[in-house]
């Protein structure tokens, strides 16, 4: 892909990825284009190589959002993607962030834990964000043992748009 003035980088977490446009605007970089690559990777597109080089040199600034940032030279990047998975069949008494993250962690790094609070109307499942490095859709069963009882819990990837 031909991008003359681009930097490729991996943001440090999902919240920063979601707010990247706002952050760029706050630091005076509202003209920078953002192209999502996958996982936590983005391509920042600049109007000129001068602007791109200045941004790259300002490490103290970009380290707030990025773990790494380098010039785009059509290099291979680590394969990763974000997957949103439903966890179904876990007894409500086991709805604990640690337990849910352990289940999700069997498929990748949990980047968004389940939100469990009074506002949730449907308690038949929880949703987690997983950073994984495989291409196949997640659709598996995990066993959870509690008080000598084994539960079969379905972990199913949400179909995105």
């Amino acid at each position: 892909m031909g991008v003359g003035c681009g930097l490729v980088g991996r943001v440090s977490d999902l919240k920063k990825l979601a707010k990247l446009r706002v952050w760029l605007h706050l630091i005076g970089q509202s003209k920078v284009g953002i192209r999502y690559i996958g996982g936590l990777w983005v391509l920042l597109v600049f109007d000129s190589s001068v602007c791109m080089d200045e941004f790259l040199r300002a490490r103290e600034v970009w380290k707030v959002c990025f773990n790494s940032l380098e010039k785009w030279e059509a290099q291979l990047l680590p394969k990763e993607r974000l997957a949103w998975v439903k966890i179904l069949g876990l007894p409500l008494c086991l709805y604990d962030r640690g337990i849910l993250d352990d289940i999700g962690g069997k498929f990748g790094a949990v980047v968004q834990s389940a939100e469990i609070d009074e506002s949730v109307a449907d308690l038949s499942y929880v949703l987690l964000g997983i950073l994984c490095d495989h291409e196949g859709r997640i659709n598996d069963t995990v066993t959870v043992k509690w008080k000598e009882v084994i539960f079969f819990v379905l972990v199913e990837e949400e179909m995105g748009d």
Side-chain angles (χ1 to χ4, degrees):
M1 178 177 159
V3 175
C5 301
L7 297 175
V8 64
R10 188 174 191 273
V11 295
S12 52
D13 61 53
L14 189 60
K15 289 179 183 177
K16 290 185 175 123
L17 177 62
K19 299 286 186 183
L20 190 55
R21 166 70 49 217
V22 172
W23 177 76
L24 284 168
H25 182 72
L26 287 173
I27 64 167
Q29 297 290 337
S30 56
K31 291 184 177 182
V32 174
I34 303 171
R35 294 209 174 145
Y36 179 67
I37 298 172
L40 296 175
W41 290 91
V42 295
L43 181 64
L44 301 179
V45 182
F46 293 81
D47 289 339
S48 72
S49 59
V50 171
C51 292
M52 178 186 71
D53 290 338
E54 284 177 4
F55 188 85
L56 188 57
R57 280 193 300 272
R59 182 179 170 90
E60 316 78 45
V61 174
W62 61 256
K63 268 305 215 182
V64 170
C65 282
F66 290 90
N67 290 335
S68 65
L69 193 64
E70 61 187 79
K71 287 185 182 180
W72 171 246
E73 295 171 335
Q75 61 269 46
L76 285 176
L77 300 172
K79 181 174 64 172
E80 67 180 26
R81 67 184 185 89
L82 288 171
W84 293 95
V85 295
K86 278 185 176 180
I87 297 178
L88 303 111
L90 186 68
L92 189 56
C93 61
L94 297 180
Y95 273 33
D96 171 81
R97 182 165 288 175
I99 293 171
L100 293 164
D101 285 354
D102 285 348
I103 293 169
K106 294 182 184 308
F107 302 93
V110 176
V111 292
Q112 177 63 53
S113 295
E115 298 292 329
I116 309 166
D117 59 32
E118 301 81 39
S119 67
V120 177
D122 187 349
L123 295 174
S124 64
Y125 70 92
V126 295
L127 197 61
L128 294 177
I130 308 290
L131 188 63
C132 54
D133 61 2
H134 53 85
E135 294 173 4
R137 291 255 173 229
I138 298 168
N139 187 11
D140 207 347
T141 302
V142 173
T143 57
V144 175
K145 186 176 181 181
W146 182 66
K147 292 189 176 182
E148 302 305 316
V149 178
I150 295 176
F151 299 95
F152 295 95
V153 178
L154 178 63
V155 180
E156 182 179 81
E157 186 170 347
E158 285 281 274
M159 300 298 283
D161 11 343

